[in-house]
Amino acid sequence: SDLIHATKRLQGGYCWIFPMPGGKSNVGGGSFTGEKFTVDDLAIFKEEHGITGKVLHRGGGGLPTKPSYTVQQQSVYRFGDAAGMANPLNGEGLKNIEQLAEFWAKSIVDEIDLNKCWRKRKEYKQLKRAYQILKFTGKIEKYYHFPVYLWGVWISALRYRLTGYSG
């Protein structure tokens, strides 16, 4: 099922609908370009998808864009956003979470050093490379005053050439 949708109004923006227990939904949106994601943008998205009902909680925060080097400290484990599993180039994180959930659980049950195993995983290496590309393009944007989101096609081609990763 599609959980993340691109907005028509906001280039470089995204919205999501995550079903929750009890007939509730987590609905929200954001932007990678620095362009403000407004209440109006969210209202249009909700209307387009027939989402109605009372708002139970409002909140927000940044999306971690750097994979965590340490995901285990004694009996505390990080996973998902807390471990920096979202791709910094496109914000997608569900694929990594799905691919790593079983590995994470098995490592915890088998008492394997999760930090060492995580840093050897291809997902960690790909996220780290993507983060480095994002940092590099941020420096170019700052120097040349050219928005990072316009580098999208170039970044995708470069990412594929450097890593062979097209996910």
Side-chain angles (χ1 to χ4, degrees), residues 57-127:
H57 172 74
R58 292 178 193 266
L63 180 67
T65 58
K66 183 177 182 180
S68 184
Y69 186 77
T70 304
V71 293
Q72 174 188 358
Q73 292 178 313
Q74 297 171 353
S75 63
V76 176
Y77 299 88
R78 295 181 190 165
F79 191 70
D81 285 351
M85 290 183 176
N87 184 318
L89 299 179
N90 63 13
E92 195 273 326
L94 290 176
K95 185 170 81 174
N96 284 333
I97 289 169
E98 288 173 354
Q99 290 173 343
L100 291 167
E102 188 175 332
F103 163 74
W104 231 251
K106 185 171 175 18
S107 298
I108 292 168
V109 169
D110 295 344
E111 297 182 2
I112 295 170
D113 182 343
L114 200 49
N115 290 322
K116 286 182 184 176
C117 292
W118 166 235
R119 292 188 291 260
K120 290 179 183 178
R121 297 279 305 197
K122 70 175 181 161
E123 293 90 353
Y124 173 79
K125 292 174 183 178
Q126 290 166 345
L127 289 169

Coordinates of all heavy atoms in Angstrom, one line a residue, residues 57-127:
H57 N -3.4 15.5 17.9 CA -2.0 15.9 18.3 C -1.3 16.6 17.1 O -1.4 16.2 16.0 CB -1.2 14.8 18.8 CG 0.2 15.1 19.0 ND1 0.6 15.8 20.1 CD2 1.4 14.9 18.3 CE1 1.9 16.0 20.1 NE2 2.4 15.4 19.0
R58 N -0.7 17.7 17.4 CA 0.1 18.4 16.4 C 1.6 18.4 16.9 O 1.9 18.5 18.1 CB -0.3 19.9 16.3 CG -1.6 20.1 15.7 CD -2.0 21.6 15.6 NE -3.4 21.7 15.3 CZ -3.9 21.9 14.1 NH1 -3.1 22.0 13.1 NH2 -5.2 22.1 14.0
G59 N 2.5 18.2 16.0 CA 3.9 18.2 16.3 C 4.8 18.3 15.1 O 4.3 18.4 14.0
G60 N 6.0 18.2 15.3 CA 6.9 18.2 14.2 C 8.4 18.0 14.6 O 8.6 17.9 15.8
G61 N 9.2 18.0 13.7 CA 10.7 17.8 14.0 C 11.4 17.5 12.7 O 10.9 17.4 11.6
G62 N 12.7 17.5 12.9 CA 13.6 17.3 11.8 C 13.7 15.8 11.4 O 13.5 14.9 12.3
L63 N 14.1 15.5 10.2 CA 14.3 14.1 9.8 C 15.8 13.8 9.9 O 16.6 14.5 9.3 CB 13.8 14.0 8.3 CG 14.0 12.6 7.7 CD1 13.0 11.6 8.4 CD2 13.7 12.7 6.2
P64 N 16.2 12.8 10.7 CA 17.6 12.5 10.8 C 18.1 12.1 9.5 O 17.6 11.2 8.8 CB 17.7 11.4 11.8 CG 16.4 11.4 12.5 CD 15.4 12.0 11.6
T65 N 19.2 12.7 9.0 CA 19.8 12.4 7.7 C 21.1 11.7 7.7 O 21.7 11.5 6.7 CB 19.9 13.7 6.8 OG1 20.7 14.6 7.5 CG2 18.5 14.2 6.6
K66 N 21.6 11.4 8.9 CA 22.9 10.8 9.0 C 22.7 9.4 9.7 O 22.2 9.4 10.8 CB 23.9 11.7 9.8 CG 25.3 11.1 9.9 CD 26.2 12.0 10.7 CE 27.6 11.5 10.7 NZ 28.5 12.4 11.4
P67 N 23.2 8.3 9.1 CA 23.0 7.0 9.8 C 23.8 7.0 11.1 O 25.0 7.5 11.1 CB 23.6 6.0 8.8 CG 24.4 6.8 7.9 CD 23.9 8.2 7.9
S68 N 23.2 6.5 12.1 CA 23.9 6.5 13.5 C 25.0 5.4 13.5 O 24.8 4.3 13.0 CB 22.8 6.1 14.5 OG 23.4 6.1 15.8
Y69 N 26.1 5.8 13.9 CA 27.3 4.9 14.0 C 27.1 3.9 15.1 O 27.4 2.8 15.1 CB 28.6 5.8 14.3 CG 29.8 4.9 14.2 CD1 30.4 4.5 13.0 CD2 30.5 4.6 15.4 CE1 31.5 3.8 13.0 CE2 31.7 3.9 15.4 CZ 32.2 3.5 14.2 OH 33.4 2.7 14.1
T70 N 26.4 4.4 16.2 CA 26.1 3.5 17.4 C 24.6 3.3 17.5 O 23.9 4.3 17.6 CB 26.7 4.2 18.7 OG1 28.0 4.4 18.5 CG2 26.4 3.3 19.8
V71 N 24.2 2.1 17.3 CA 22.8 1.8 17.4 C 22.4 0.9 18.7 O 21.3 0.7 18.9 CB 22.3 1.0 16.2 CG1 22.3 1.9 14.9 CG2 23.1 -0.3 15.9
Q72 N 23.4 0.6 19.4 CA 23.2 -0.2 20.7 C 24.1 0.4 21.7 O 25.3 0.5 21.6 CB 23.5 -1.7 20.4 CG 23.5 -2.5 21.7 CD 24.0 -3.9 21.4 OE1 24.4 -4.3 20.3 NE2 24.0 -4.7 22.5
Q73 N 23.5 0.7 22.9 CA 24.3 1.1 24.1 C 23.7 0.3 25.2 O 22.6 0.6 25.7 CB 24.2 2.6 24.3 CG 24.9 3.4 23.3 CD 24.7 4.9 23.5 OE1 23.6 5.4 23.8 NE2 25.8 5.6 23.4
Q74 N 24.4 -0.7 25.6 CA 24.0 -1.7 26.6 C 22.6 -2.3 26.2 O 22.6 -2.9 25.2 CB 24.0 -1.0 28.0 CG 25.4 -0.6 28.4 CD 25.4 0.2 29.7 OE1 24.3 0.6 30.2 NE2 26.6 0.5 30.2
S75 N 21.6 -2.0 27.0 CA 20.3 -2.6 26.6 C 19.4 -1.7 25.9 O 18.2 -1.9 25.7 CB 19.6 -3.1 27.9 OG 19.3 -2.0 28.7
V76 N 19.9 -0.6 25.4 CA 19.1 0.4 24.6 C 19.5 0.3 23.1 O 20.7 0.3 22.8 CB 19.4 1.9 25.1 CG1 18.6 2.9 24.2 CG2 19.0 2.0 26.5
Y77 N 18.5 0.1 22.3 CA 18.7 -0.1 20.8 C 18.0 1.0 20.1 O 16.9 1.4 20.4 CB 18.1 -1.4 20.4 CG 18.7 -2.6 21.1 CD1 18.3 -3.1 22.3 CD2 19.8 -3.2 20.5 CE1 18.9 -4.1 23.0 CE2 20.4 -4.3 21.2 CZ 20.0 -4.7 22.4 OH 20.6 -5.8 23.0
R78 N 18.6 1.5 19.0 CA 18.0 2.5 18.1 C 17.6 1.8 16.8 O 18.3 0.9 16.4 CB 19.0 3.6 17.8 CG 19.4 4.4 18.9 CD 20.4 5.5 18.5 NE 21.0 6.1 19.6 CZ 22.1 6.8 19.6 NH1 22.7 7.1 18.4 NH2 22.6 7.4 20.7
F79 N 16.5 2.3 16.3 CA 15.9 1.7 15.1 C 15.1 2.8 14.3 O 14.6 3.7 15.0 CB 15.1 0.5 15.4 CG 14.7 -0.3 14.2 CD1 15.7 -1.1 13.5 CD2 13.4 -0.3 13.7 CE1 15.3 -1.8 12.4 CE2 13.1 -1.1 12.6 CZ 14.0 -1.8 11.9
G80 N 15.0 2.6 13.0 CA 14.2 3.6 12.3 C 14.8 5.0 12.3 O 16.0 5.1 12.1
D81 N 14.0 6.0 12.5 CA 14.6 7.4 12.5 C 15.6 7.6 13.6 O 16.6 8.3 13.4 CB 13.5 8.4 12.7 CG 12.6 8.6 11.4 OD1 13.0 8.1 10.4 OD2 11.6 9.3 11.5
A82 N 15.5 6.9 14.7 CA 16.4 7.0 15.8 C 17.8 6.5 15.4 O 18.8 7.0 15.9 CB 15.9 6.3 17.0
A83 N 17.9 5.6 14.4 CA 19.1 5.1 13.9 C 19.6 5.8 12.6 O 20.6 5.4 12.0 CB 19.0 3.6 13.7
G84 N 18.8 6.8 12.2 CA 19.2 7.5 10.9 C 19.0 6.6 9.7 O 19.8 6.6 8.8
M85 N 17.9 5.8 9.7 CA 17.7 4.9 8.6 C 17.0 5.5 7.4 O 16.7 4.8 6.4 CB 16.9 3.7 9.1 CG 17.7 2.8 9.9 SD 16.7 1.3 10.4 CE 17.9 0.4 11.3
A86 N 16.6 6.7 7.4 CA 15.9 7.4 6.3 C 17.0 7.8 5.3 O 18.1 8.3 5.7 CB 15.2 8.6 6.7
N87 N 16.7 7.6 4.0 CA 17.7 8.0 3.0 C 17.7 9.5 2.9 O 16.7 10.2 2.7 CB 17.2 7.4 1.6 CG 18.2 7.7 0.5 OD1 18.7 8.8 0.4 ND2 18.4 6.8 -0.3
P88 N 18.9 10.1 3.1 CA 18.9 11.6 3.2 C 18.7 12.3 1.8 O 18.4 13.5 1.8 CB 20.4 11.9 3.6 CG 21.1 10.7 3.4 CD 20.2 9.5 3.4
L89 N 18.7 11.5 0.7 CA 18.5 12.1 -0.6 C 17.0 12.2 -0.9 O 16.6 13.0 -1.7 CB 19.2 11.4 -1.7 CG 20.7 11.3 -1.5 CD1 21.4 10.5 -2.6 CD2 21.3 12.8 -1.5
N90 N 16.2 11.3 -0.4 CA 14.8 11.3 -0.7 C 13.8 11.1 0.5 O 12.6 11.2 0.3 CB 14.5 10.3 -1.8 CG 14.7 8.8 -1.3 OD1 14.9 8.6 -0.1 ND2 14.8 7.9 -2.3
G91 N 14.4 10.9 1.7 CA 13.6 10.8 2.9 C 12.9 9.4 3.1 O 12.3 9.2 4.1
E92 N 13.1 8.5 2.1 CA 12.5 7.2 2.2 C 13.2 6.4 3.3 O 14.4 6.3 3.3 CB 12.6 6.5 0.8 CG 11.7 5.3 0.6 CD 12.3 4.1 1.1 OE1 13.5 3.9 1.0 OE2 11.6 3.2 1.7
G93 N 12.4 5.8 4.1 CA 13.0 5.0 5.2 C 12.3 3.7 5.4 O 12.9 2.8 6.1
L94 N 11.1 3.5 4.9 CA 10.3 2.3 5.2 C 11.0 1.0 4.6 O 11.0 0.0 5.2 CB 8.9 2.3 4.6 CG 8.0 3.3 5.3 CD1 6.7 3.4 4.6 CD2 7.8 2.9 6.8
K95 N 11.7 1.2 3.4 CA 12.3 0.0 2.8 C 13.4 -0.5 3.7 O 13.5 -1.7 4.0 CB 12.9 0.4 1.4 CG 13.5 -0.8 0.7 CD 13.8 -0.4 -0.7 CE 15.1 0.3 -0.8 NZ 15.6 0.6 -2.1
N96 N 14.3 0.4 4.3 CA 15.3 0.0 5.2 C 14.8 -0.6 6.4 O 15.3 -1.6 6.9 CB 16.3 1.1 5.5 CG 17.2 1.5 4.4 OD1 17.5 0.6 3.6 ND2 17.6 2.7 4.3
I97 N 13.8 -0.1 6.9 CA 13.2 -0.6 8.2 C 12.6 -2.0 7.9 O 12.8 -2.9 8.7 CB 12.1 0.4 8.7 CG1 12.7 1.6 9.2 CG2 11.2 -0.3 9.8 CD1 11.8 2.8 9.5
E98 N 11.9 -2.2 6.8 CA 11.4 -3.5 6.5 C 12.5 -4.5 6.3 O 12.4 -5.7 6.8 CB 10.6 -3.5 5.2 CG 9.2 -2.8 5.4 CD 8.5 -2.6 4.0 OE1 9.1 -2.9 3.0 OE2 7.4 -2.1 4.1
Q99 N 13.6 -4.1 5.6 CA 14.7 -5.0 5.4 C 15.5 -5.4 6.6 O 16.1 -6.4 6.8 CB 15.6 -4.5 4.3 CG 15.0 -4.4 2.9 CD 15.9 -3.7 1.9 OE1 16.8 -2.9 2.3 NE2 15.6 -3.9 0.7
L100 N 15.5 -4.5 7.6 CA 16.4 -4.6 8.7 C 15.7 -5.1 10.0 O 16.3 -5.5 10.9 CB 17.1 -3.3 9.1 CG 18.2 -2.9 8.0 CD1 18.6 -1.5 8.2 CD2 19.4 -3.8 8.1
A101 N 14.3 -5.1 10.0 CA 13.6 -5.5 11.2 C 13.9 -6.9 11.7 O 14.2 -7.1 12.9 CB 12.1 -5.3 11.0
E102 N 13.9 -7.8 10.8 CA 14.2 -9.2 11.3 C 15.7 -9.4 11.7 O 15.9 -10.0 12.7 CB 13.9 -10.2 10.1 CG 14.0 -11.6 10.5 CD 13.6 -12.6 9.4 OE1 12.8 -12.2 8.5 OE2 14.1 -13.7 9.4
F103 N 16.6 -8.7 11.0 CA 18.0 -8.8 11.4 C 18.2 -8.2 12.8 O 18.9 -8.7 13.6 CB 18.8 -8.0 10.3 CG 20.2 -7.6 10.8 CD1 21.2 -8.6 10.9 CD2 20.5 -6.3 11.1 CE1 22.5 -8.2 11.3 CE2 21.8 -6.0 11.5 CZ 22.7 -6.9 11.6
W104 N 17.5 -7.0 13.0 CA 17.6 -6.3 14.3 C 17.2 -7.2 15.4 O 17.8 -7.4 16.4 CB 16.8 -5.0 14.3 CG 17.5 -3.8 14.7 CD1 17.3 -3.1 15.9 CD2 18.5 -3.1 14.0 NE1 18.1 -2.0 15.9 CE2 18.9 -2.0 14.8 CE3 19.2 -3.3 12.8 CZ2 19.9 -1.1 14.4 CZ3 20.2 -2.4 12.4 CH2 20.5 -1.3 13.2
A105 N 16.0 -7.8 15.2 CA 15.4 -8.7 16.3 C 16.3 -9.9 16.5 O 16.5 -10.2 17.7 CB 14.0 -9.1 15.8
K106 N 16.8 -10.5 15.5 CA 17.6 -11.7 15.6 C 18.9 -11.3 16.4 O 19.4 -12.1 17.2 CB 17.9 -12.3 14.3 CG 18.7 -13.6 14.4 CD 18.8 -14.3 13.0 CE 19.6 -15.5 13.0 NZ 20.0 -16.2 14.2
S107 N 19.5 -10.2 16.0 CA 20.7 -9.8 16.7 C 20.5 -9.5 18.2 O 21.4 -9.9 19.0 CB 21.2 -8.5 16.0 OG 21.6 -8.7 14.7
I108 N 19.4 -8.9 18.5 CA 19.1 -8.7 19.9 C 18.9 -10.0 20.7 O 19.4 -10.2 21.7 CB 17.8 -7.8 20.1 CG1 18.2 -6.4 19.5 CG2 17.4 -7.7 21.5 CD1 17.0 -5.5 19.3
V109 N 18.1 -10.9 20.1 CA 17.8 -12.2 20.8 C 19.1 -13.0 20.9 O 19.3 -13.6 21.9 CB 16.7 -13.0 19.9 CG1 16.6 -14.4 20.4 CG2 15.4 -12.3 20.0
D110 N 19.9 -13.0 19.9 CA 21.2 -13.8 19.9 C 22.3 -13.1 20.6 O 23.4 -13.6 20.6 CB 21.6 -14.2 18.5 CG 20.6 -15.1 17.8 OD1 19.7 -15.7 18.5 OD2 20.7 -15.2 16.5
E111 N 22.0 -11.9 21.1 CA 23.0 -11.1 21.8 C 24.3 -10.8 21.0 O 25.4 -11.0 21.5 CB 23.4 -11.7 23.2 CG 22.2 -11.8 24.1 CD 22.5 -12.3 25.5 OE1 23.6 -12.7 25.7 OE2 21.5 -12.5 26.3
I112 N 24.1 -10.5 19.7 CA 25.2 -10.2 18.8 C 25.5 -8.7 18.9 O 24.6 -7.9 19.2 CB 24.8 -10.5 17.4 CG1 24.6 -12.0 17.2 CG2 25.8 -10.0 16.4 CD1 24.0 -12.5 15.9
D113 N 26.8 -8.3 18.8 CA 27.2 -6.9 18.8 C 26.5 -6.2 17.6 O 27.0 -6.3 16.5 CB 28.7 -6.7 18.8 CG 29.1 -5.3 18.9 OD1 28.3 -4.4 18.7 OD2 30.3 -5.1 19.2
L114 N 25.4 -5.5 17.9 CA 24.7 -4.9 16.8 C 25.4 -3.7 16.1 O 25.3 -3.5 14.9 CB 23.3 -4.4 17.3 CG 22.2 -4.1 16.4 CD1 22.0 -5.3 15.4 CD2 20.9 -3.8 17.1
N115 N 26.3 -3.0 16.9 CA 27.0 -1.9 16.3 C 27.9 -2.4 15.2 O 28.0 -1.8 14.1 CB 27.8 -1.2 17.4 CG 27.0 -0.4 18.3 OD1 26.0 0.2 17.9 ND2 27.3 -0.4 19.6
K116 N 28.7 -3.5 15.4 CA 29.6 -4.0 14.4 C 28.8 -4.5 13.2 O 29.2 -4.3 12.1 CB 30.5 -5.1 15.0 CG 31.6 -4.6 15.9 CD 32.4 -5.8 16.4 CE 33.4 -5.3 17.4 NZ 34.2 -6.4 18.0
C117 N 27.8 -5.3 13.5 CA 27.0 -5.9 12.4 C 26.3 -4.8 11.6 O 26.3 -4.8 10.3 CB 25.9 -6.8 13.0 SG 26.5 -8.3 13.7
W118 N 25.8 -3.7 12.2 CA 25.1 -2.6 11.5 C 26.1 -1.9 10.5 O 25.8 -1.6 9.4 CB 24.6 -1.6 12.5 CG 24.1 -0.3 12.0 CD1 24.6 0.9 12.5 CD2 23.2 0.0 11.0 NE1 23.9 2.0 11.9 CE2 23.1 1.5 11.0 CE3 22.4 -0.7 10.2 CZ2 22.2 2.1 10.1 CZ3 21.6 0.0 9.3 CH2 21.5 1.4 9.2
R119 N 27.3 -1.6 11.0 CA 28.3 -0.9 10.2 C 28.8 -1.7 9.0 O 29.4 -1.2 8.1 CB 29.4 -0.4 11.1 CG 29.0 0.7 12.0 CD 30.1 1.3 12.8 NE 30.8 0.4 13.7 CZ 30.5 0.5 15.0 NH1 29.7 1.3 15.5 NH2 31.2 -0.4 15.8
K120 N 28.6 -3.1 9.1 CA 29.0 -3.9 8.0 C 27.9 -4.1 6.9 O 28.2 -4.6 5.8 CB 29.4 -5.3 8.5 CG 30.7 -5.3 9.2 CD 31.1 -6.7 9.8 CE 32.3 -6.7 10.6 NZ 32.6 -8.0 11.2
R121 N 26.7 -3.7 7.3 CA 25.5 -3.9 6.4 C 25.6 -3.0 5.2 O 26.0 -1.8 5.3 CB 24.2 -3.7 7.2 CG 23.9 -4.6 8.3 CD 23.4 -5.9 7.9 NE 22.2 -5.8 7.1 CZ 21.3 -6.7 6.8 NH1 21.5 -7.9 7.4 NH2 20.3 -6.6 6.1
K122 N 25.1 -3.5 4.1 CA 25.1 -2.6 2.9 C 24.2 -1.4 3.1 O 24.5 -0.3 2.5 CB 24.7 -3.4 1.6 CG 23.2 -3.8 1.6 CD 22.8 -4.5 0.4 CE 21.3 -4.8 0.5 NZ 20.7 -5.1 -0.7
E123 N 23.1 -1.6 3.8 CA 22.2 -0.5 4.1 C 22.9 0.7 4.8 O 22.7 1.9 4.4 CB 21.0 -0.9 4.9 CG 20.1 -1.9 4.2 CD 20.4 -3.3 4.4 OE1 21.5 -3.6 5.0 OE2 19.7 -4.2 4.0
Y124 N 23.7 0.4 5.8 CA 24.5 1.4 6.5 C 25.4 2.1 5.5 O 25.5 3.4 5.5 CB 25.2 0.8 7.7 CG 26.2 1.8 8.3 CD1 25.7 2.8 9.2 CD2 27.5 1.8 8.0 CE1 26.5 3.7 9.8 CE2 28.4 2.8 8.6 CZ 27.9 3.7 9.5 OH 28.7 4.6 10.1
K125 N 26.1 1.3 4.7 CA 27.1 1.9 3.8 C 26.4 2.8 2.8 O 27.0 3.9 2.4 CB 27.9 0.8 3.2 CG 28.8 0.1 4.1 CD 29.5 -1.1 3.5 CE 30.3 -1.8 4.6 NZ 31.0 -3.1 4.1
Q126 N 25.3 2.4 2.3 CA 24.5 3.2 1.3 C 24.0 4.5 1.9 O 24.1 5.5 1.3 CB 23.4 2.4 0.7 CG 23.9 1.2 -0.2 CD 22.8 0.2 -0.5 OE1 21.8 0.2 0.2 NE2 23.0 -0.6 -1.5
L127 N 23.5 4.4 3.1 CA 23.0 5.6 3.8 C 24.2 6.6 4.1 O 24.0 7.8 3.9 CB 22.3 5.2 5.1 CG 21.0 4.5 5.0 CD1 20.5 4.0 6.3 CD2 19.9 5.5 4.4

